[in-house]
Amino acid sequence: AAEAARVGVAPQKNKPKAGINWDVLHSPEIQALLPEQRLEAIKLYSEQTGADMKEAADAIAKHMDNQRIEQKG
């Protein structure tokens, strides 16, 4: 039963942080906010991953940098 409760997109507060969660970054919810509503995307990433605001901001910035590189290439 405990395993079933962990399945889904529920916030992962109090879990160990293991770098950027690319699945969350590529989620339709995050993508719909970027680039215009960057702060809201940071908050949502933080809520969904348990990352603090700095980690969330860094992840969003890295993702946006990657998007710019892909568009140029």
Side-chain angles (χ1 to χ4, degrees), residues 24-25 27-49 53 56-57 60 64:
V24 172
L25 279 176
S27 71
E29 296 85 2
I30 297 284
Q31 293 303 303
L33 295 171
L34 293 173
E36 294 85 11
Q37 296 177 315
R38 187 171 159 256
L39 183 57
E40 291 303 315
I42 291 168
K43 290 178 186 176
L44 182 58
Y45 180 88
S46 176
E47 290 170 8
Q48 291 186 353
T49 64
M53 293 302 281
I60 294 292
M64 291 176 70

Side-chain angles (χ1 to χ4, degrees), residues 1-36:
E3 286 297 316
R6 289 189 221 162
V7 177
V9 191
Q12 300 177 8
K13 298 279 182 185
N14 300 323
K15 290 202 174 197
K17 296 172 181 102
I20 295 174
N21 185 323
W22 293 101
D23 291 335
V24 172
L25 279 176
H26 292 132
S27 71
E29 296 85 2
I30 297 284
Q31 293 303 303
L33 295 171
L34 293 173
E36 294 85 11

